[in-house]
């Protein structure tokens, strides 16, 4: 009986260790040599409803292996493009930032440290949350970089300044970002329904340079018109809260909000962004496996990330 | 180390006892002093497929706490309105009607008794089912009130007269309602696919004053045209079967039926109703936690109810 | 105390043995006397990600009992037609093909044998998978029949020729079908995102007579235009991979792919097919109960099958 | 490619229609010709906590197919006996009693009718609940039979006379049984912790001829001493509430109570009963699939029933 | 049709608002007038593996309603005692301590504040966690009280002094307790397997007055011998980590450890404690609903607490 | 704000990539330099009931991270031994054998190839199934090694010779092993209840040198007496079917069988084996995440493996 290793492995999706997209593991952060570096930030002490977002990185990594069929790349018949071509795609998984239970500041500092390492290596950081508060250290890691414009997909504005002393919870990140001198503007997409931000938060956001659009407003405008409102040719940092999507496809999250985006609505906006400027940072947050019984939320996160990364790399080096 | 009570509680959504929306509990039904009174009716002996709807009131109450961020109200940036303003909103949770296992008639009588108490107090009854049969005693409690027009959101017509002696099951309520002299008409929205009602039921419904529209018919007509078919300026009783929504957002129900409403389709119709006349009674039925692994169905129920109640109160006292 | 049997059974959906639609069981395959014969093919050794599709036949059979209210048929108020009229509908459930663990060839041969028995009896075979590889023996059973045109609903092209010696996995069936001399063409609907088929597979498919359309392309074209691309008056074999539907309504499957069909998009295409030609074979594959916590995927499978069968029989004998 | 039917089917457990133990289906209750007849009684309107027991019959039937390997019988190496030998075992599944939603009396009457049919055929009735109230019509069906002694396995005494008019709920059955002139005594095993029966219920039970033992008392006594307390050579009716077992192996039930029986504790008592007298009726109640995520409760029910039936038939015809 | 309120409510377990045991709600902490006050402490930022323990209070409260049948009390036939007699039992639910996300110190301070309020009212505090770190503020609240001896049921020693600056995580509480001058000793029961405490932790614990016993050691000693090792006549503070129980009955927790206690092993030790001295404080921690699919863990927590409280009150006022 | 990396990582269990026990990943099988090499064998085409065992390796790896607290080792206070001391423990995770869907022989050959690589490196192979058929290639890989004695923990005998041509399914492995000239004997522990092996299988097993003991027989004998029946000083290959454990702690498996082992019963036998001879190979099979909603089965697998490996290494180099 012969085995199949001589001809190389078939490497079916359900086989093997779960790194992101089955890309190589690089735990030496001084030796990152890649276009894209994927980092886990399993922090959920910033949540105000159901916890669980610390399970996000492991859930997304495992789901991402579904999309690694060992082919020469990811052929998309609608675009007639093979994204992530096997030979030239340089992605690494650098593991997780170190978390310290009970200690928000140290955990956040550890995330910032890791993102700075990625930026120092010249790679695009893709950070898997964790709750949305992990966006705070991610943005702080850009303090020495060229200015950025933030594009957020989310049900919630997350623009609370401070309540009961809390400034680094999952309701605060976009406010923290807007305060940074190197953040030139914000585009906040999908915002809907009541949430943790009161009227004052909306007013403050607009005053600080934010363009806020609900799902219904975006549907009325259309993809192109929405893209046109985003300054062209900028360096974009994209923060994707999975609850920007509809709960029908993203039940696995702490605070689902009905009336959200479909898959293609977001993909088409991301595709437009990848063509419109330079994407310099990404985080995808709030996936919680505890509420994702069929795994579809984690699959959504992996699917949108791999498609977005593929488009970014393709339009950078077509 | 100081605590935080001097400055008031932060009162995060996951903290505290689960009354509806964290509004006050009023178990003395002779002392209801509110604009809205929320009642649980955990009855599921009327179901013909999966039971479990008795878990609805507890599931919806818990989910509703997600929407109570302790702010001054629920700010909706699309409408630029703060619904349910903290100072002036008078909602109470009056607990559940008493249920008697094996005994449909007594359980229904107990629901009717409770709704009559709410009406006597001049409050708007909002009843959390339970299966759709609990609509029967709810409507019966209106026998001494001014006439009402019923607006139903549902996958199923629920217009069976009698089968094997059953007249108070979850397939019978709209027929029971249509028989009442104080019910002036019915608008039945979302009705689709095969169900427990045969052709004769549809003919009877139309003969008794019903306007029946499927989800696809409503999409073709548009929200405004559908609203225009509902008599204006009437007293509306709204019965929301959660299975009127699509199973993608409402899996947690006994008899899901594919091809249902999205969240905003229903919200916009409810918003129109709140502007078009006076909503005098509401029930939301058929939420079953047993089939709601991510809690999204209960969240949907809470989200639509709080938004509907907010709009009713706002348009009553803008 | 009297019982209720004199007047016949009420036969509620949750009562009784789970045959498909509660239609009669016919385990003697030499005595099939029906218009439609439903067969289970619980095979999942062809899967490349999550297994579990062997649970499909039992899950779909149980879900199908939801739609058997013991009425005179299935009245559809939108079409004003009673499908599956009680007196004249001749459907039987013939149980499952025999499976042999570890042995793909014998299991497939057993499926082919059963489908041949159905065809020999002049009945329409409706096969409940199992993973998509079970389509291979189903199509092989048509070798002595008149030519067929295949219409596929699926997220994935499933057109891999051979990898590591595998020719009968769930990524191969449409390639195997296209090779058959009695398959005159293929229409592949819903194909999207990256999958197990590389660019070469798409090119081969088109070269072998396939018309490939994504969900978004179909939405742009509209139902009628899509139907117009399918040769008219042909004998259609329809293969429905449940993952052609969106994961929001079909989470219970091995390889969900976001951005899929809604319920009515598929139903309207199937309704058009039933009017446009003769449907001579059906399989519905990839339902896996393990990932279907609310049972909605199995309900979707049962709902679409019963509506499709009803339309086929109605348009055959209106 | 040849198929495998010439040599007979392998008939793996996951293949085929779910009748109890894959034994033949006999829906004509006037033609029952068997030693054992299995009946479903999917009634759960008698429950006082979580509903769902209506799913019991389908769950147990499906689980029972695990134990049907198509062998010549069930060989037990500890006893060195092949129970349920293929050639001579005469078991049939007669489907479910007809249920009428909202109507306890008719549903119970329908169960009684079915059990009477089984008794008239001379077969041993094995009834799959449904909640424990279904024991009431089962016992009533024995009114024309020789006297019986009831052996109950349960966490709860279920000896409530009447509360709020309820006499046929799942807290009443043993009281109803004790009132019958043809019930000569009761042995109530596993009773523990607080429950729906107050002190008066225990006193009444003892006064009416009941021997009540807790799990801990039984462990102290040992199997033989417990058996010795049960009158020898009698006709035993055994009612098995699945919550008599520990929640660790029977989580799938409405009202779990910690501190219950292990599998072998019950099996050894049942084995002793089968040797000690004549078992003339069995019900197994309160399995609720909604709370049985791994299916182990249904497997327990099937495993204990098949082993018990095997021992009854073996000791009757060794 | 008459309703049933004149005769009082039946008040079935599934009906009504979820306070602990359905005892009265007292949200004014200056007006606590009771023998026992139940407090929720939904904090889970101290966890090192799966989060979710913040859901504990709500899960336990809901489960506790199972045990409130509206009787005159909880009759235990083994002890022939009616615990918690209706007329004289004075228990209140005082809601939850206020939690501040991201902020361990303030959240802990708020718990301490609440426990001090209970102690000031002369009531027995029963605190529902939350992770085991909530024991730290609970013990700190006893600083002005007479000395206490701590009895812990747990799989883990939780005696880590400090790691990476963490001193108030769920691995630290017993070390924090042992440092207090008013803690006279510790009895640590159920400790087993590897965990977050290294050898040094065990040595330190013993040096600081701890008696450590594994489950197997306790089984060998027997209940009485274990009780004899606990100083008699002391004021006991009991901290129950639900993972002290076996994962078979307590799966719903963050860090399950196999080989744990059965229900009666713990109950009998608690019963002995209630007879042996004065129980002055209780916490039950680490219940996480996210991992409790059948609800049996929450039922276990409620069952052990209600039985323990009943025994404490009974032996205090027999 | 400073980060925490200078002092080394805290490396909490929920953080980081899931290799077994967080031990290093070694994907180059020609460079295995370790005492223990852990291999995944995600094959489930040999199952006869529920599939899903292919998820075992990923589930066990993730669960195993719970036990990696970054300490100096795993201190066991009962044994007063620190197993797996940090400095000197040489364990590697070598990823998974390559699987080929639909093809049992190639998949098995690939497993055999990998185990041979481990043996060639002089490491102890620890193979994570997959269904029990993966034991077949594991044993075949020992053909060039010194003779082995097999110790099996299992509910089922798995001694079927051939049925319908199947010789490498999960009912066949012990028969295949017994046929090998280098297998000197078998000890089969935990065998109980009916299963896929008929009486002839038991007779054949005994004839081929097997000692078969049920759980109850082992409990009567005691650990020492059971160990005494196993030839001393031999080279043991241990195959652990997770269904040897009781379903209460191992629900997450294809074919649970009630009445199984507790955790310590197995651990004590394994501890005895590690002292009694040389353990030269281990597989742990049949963990299926699909049926393990609380993750306790995977935790059990990881806990027993890490404790067993720790004891093997300790007694080899005390």
């Amino acid at each position: 009986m012969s085995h199949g290793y001589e001809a190389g492995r078939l490497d079916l999706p359900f086989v093997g260790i779960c790194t992101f997209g089955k890309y190589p593991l690089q735990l030496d952060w001084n030796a990152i040599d890649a276009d894209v570096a994927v980092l886990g930030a399993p922090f959920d002490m910033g949540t105000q409803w159901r916890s669980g977002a610390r399970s996000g990185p492991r859930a997304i990594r495992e789901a991402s292996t579904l999309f690694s069929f060992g082919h020469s790349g990811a052929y998309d018949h609608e675009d007639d493009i093979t994204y992530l071509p096997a030979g030239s795609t340089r992605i690494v998984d650098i593991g997780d930032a170190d978390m310290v239970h009970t200690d928000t500041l140290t955990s956040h500092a550890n995330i910032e440290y890791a993102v700075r390492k990625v930026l120092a290596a010249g790679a695009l950081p893709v950070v898997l949350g964790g709750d949305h508060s992990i966006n705070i250290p991610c943005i702080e890691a850009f303090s020495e970089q060229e200015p950025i414009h933030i594009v957020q997909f989310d049900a919630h504005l997350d623009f609370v300044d401070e309540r009961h002393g809390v400034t680094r919870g999952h309701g605060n990140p976009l406010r923290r970002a807007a305060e940074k001198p190197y953040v030139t503007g914000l585009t906040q997409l999908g915002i809907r329904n009541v949430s943790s931000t009161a009227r004052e938060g909306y007013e403050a956001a607009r005053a600080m340079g934010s363009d806020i659009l609900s799902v219904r407003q975006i549907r009325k405008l259309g993809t192109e018109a929405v893209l046109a409102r985003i300054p062209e040719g900028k360096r974009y940092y994209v923060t994707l809260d999975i609850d920007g999507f509809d709960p029908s496809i993203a039940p696995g999250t702490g605070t689902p909000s009905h009336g959200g985006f479909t898959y293609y609505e977001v993909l088409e906006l991301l595709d437009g962004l990848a063509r419109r400027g330079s994407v310099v940072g990404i985080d995808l947050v709030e996936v919680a496996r505890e509420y994702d019984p069929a795994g579809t939320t984690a699959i959504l996160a992996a699917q949108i990330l791999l498609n977005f990364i593929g488009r970014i790399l393709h339009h950078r080096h077509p």
Side-chain angles (χ1 to χ4, degrees), chain A:
Chain A
M1 205 181 312
S2 74
H3 62 83
Y5 294 98
E6 288 84 4
R9 296 174 65 105
L10 178 54
D11 204 17
L12 291 172
F14 68 88
V15 173
I17 300 294
C18 297
T19 57
F20 184 79
K22 289 198 190 171
Y23 286 103
L25 187 62
Q26 177 50 280
L27 296 180
D28 179 353
W29 294 354
N30 293 314
I32 297 168
D33 180 23
D35 291 323
V36 177
V38 180
L39 169 76
F43 177 88
D44 64 1
M45 296 191 280
T47 51
Q48 300 173 93
W49 174 241
R50 315 190 289 201
S51 52
R54 66 172 65 180
S55 64
R58 288 187 175 174
I60 297 169
R61 281 190 179 103
E62 175 155 5
S64 73
T65 65
L66 166 57
F67 299 100
S68 59
F69 273 90
H71 290 303
S72 48
Y75 178 68
D76 185 309
H77 78 94
E78 295 184 79
D79 294 354
D80 194 23
I81 295 172
T82 295
Y83 294 110
L84 305 169
S88 56
T89 301
R90 299 166 65 248
I91 300 179
V92 291
D93 187 324
I94 65 165
D96 288 354
D98 201 39
M99 294 291 109
V100 179
H101 54 308
T102 74
D103 186 345
T104 298
L105 292 182
T106 303
S107 299
H108 278 190
N110 288 347
I111 295 167
E112 181 186 340
Y113 175 88
V115 176
R116 285 185 183 277
K117 284 288 189 184
V118 173
L119 293 174
L124 169 72
V126 176
V127 184
L128 313 175
D131 69 51
H132 214 154
S133 75
I134 66 103
N135 171 263
I136 299 174
C138 289
I139 295 300
E140 289 169 342
F142 277 78
S143 64
E144 314 297 318
Q145 310 291 315
E146 294 296 302
I148 54 178
H149 180 93
I150 292 182
V151 181
Q152 173 196 18
F153 293 82
D154 204 329
H156 312 94
L157 199 69
D158 293 344
F159 214 86
V160 175
D161 185 4
E162 180 272 338
R163 289 184 72 207
H164 283 238
V166 179
T167 58
R168 300 179 76 89
H170 77 162
N172 309 104
L174 277 295
R175 175 73 178 228
R176 290 295 84 76
E179 296 165 353
K180 299 289 184 293
Y182 50 91
V183 171
T184 55
L186 297 89
T187 304
Q188 301 187 271
L189 306 173
I191 314 305
R192 60 191 184 270
N193 200 42
V194 309
S195 79
S196 62
T197 307
R199 184 199 292 257
E200 295 71 25
Y202 287 87
E203 288 164 355
R206 290 201 180 91
M208 293 169 84
S210 172
D211 186 21
I212 303 171
L213 291 171
S214 75
V215 172
R216 288 187 292 178
Q217 290 164 340
I218 290 167
R219 283 181 188 153
K220 268 188 205 134
L221 288 166
T223 302
E224 289 313 312
V226 171
L227 286 168
R229 295 166 72 120
I230 301 172
E232 198 169 5
K234 296 291 181 186
R235 291 164 40 88
Y236 306 125
Y237 183 98
V238 178
T239 180
L240 275 158
D241 188 322
I242 202 76
D243 68 25
F245 287 101
D246 196 71
S248 59
I249 53 175
T253 191
T255 53
S257 179
H258 287 279
F261 286 121
T262 66
Y263 171 70
Y264 279 118
E265 285 173 340
V266 173
L267 181 63
E268 291 172 5
L269 286 165
L270 293 177
D271 184 89
L273 273 183
R275 297 167 187 269
R276 191 169 180 78
S278 175
V279 178
V280 297
I282 301 172
D283 60 58
L284 188 152
V285 298
E286 299 283 358
V287 172
R289 183 163 43 182
E290 285 74 4
Y291 300 99
D292 195 26
T296 47
T297 311
I299 289 173
L300 173 64
Q303 186 173 340
I304 202 84
L305 279 178
L306 281 162
N307 277 282
F308 188 25
I309 295 169
R311 279 156 176 79
I312 292 168
L313 295 177
H314 179 80
H315 293 297
R316 191 189 286 181
H317 316 290

